[in-house]
Amino acid sequence: SAMNDSHPMLRWAEENGKTVRELAEVAGCSDSHLRNILAGRREAKLSVAKRLSEFSGGAVPMDAFVRTEEARA
């Protein structure tokens, strides 16, 4: 299903009742930029990955924010 293809941070947010807007506020970026990161269209800055990983209590590792092409390389 489409849900299984979604970013681990989006799954975590849904399970924990958080919105993309709240995540973007934590990350310090715009909603649209965060959506691009979560869709794999943009690379997250290290600071953004760190804030979001910490916000999830470590449930979503920082490397979840590295684009998959680079993760596979």
Side-chain angles (χ1 to χ4, degrees), residues 2 10 12-13 16 20 31 36 41-43 45 48 51 54-55 58-59 72-73:
L10 281 176
W12 180 86
N16 292 276
V20 170
D31 295 14
N36 280 327
R41 290 188 295 268
R42 292 280 181 276
E43 184 75 79
K45 284 193 297 205
V48 167
R51 286 190 202 114
E54 287 174 355
F55 185 60
R72 276 199 295 268

Side-chain angles (χ1 to χ4, degrees), residues 5-65:
D5 297 333
S6 67
H7 193 281
M9 192 77 217
L10 281 176
R11 290 200 297 268
W12 180 86
E14 188 164 285
E15 286 160 14
N16 292 276
K18 306 293 183 195
T19 65
V20 170
R21 182 175 293 275
E22 286 174 285
L23 296 181
E25 282 174 16
V26 166
C29 65
S30 68
D31 295 14
S32 59
H33 183 64
L34 183 59
R35 287 180 195 282
N36 280 327
I37 291 168
L38 297 178
R41 290 188 295 268
R42 292 280 181 276
E43 184 75 79
K45 284 193 297 205
L46 204 58
S47 58
V48 167
K50 188 171 192 289
R51 286 190 202 114
L52 290 171
S53 180
E54 287 174 355
F55 185 60
S56 75
V60 182
M62 282 180 66
D63 65 11
F65 299 96

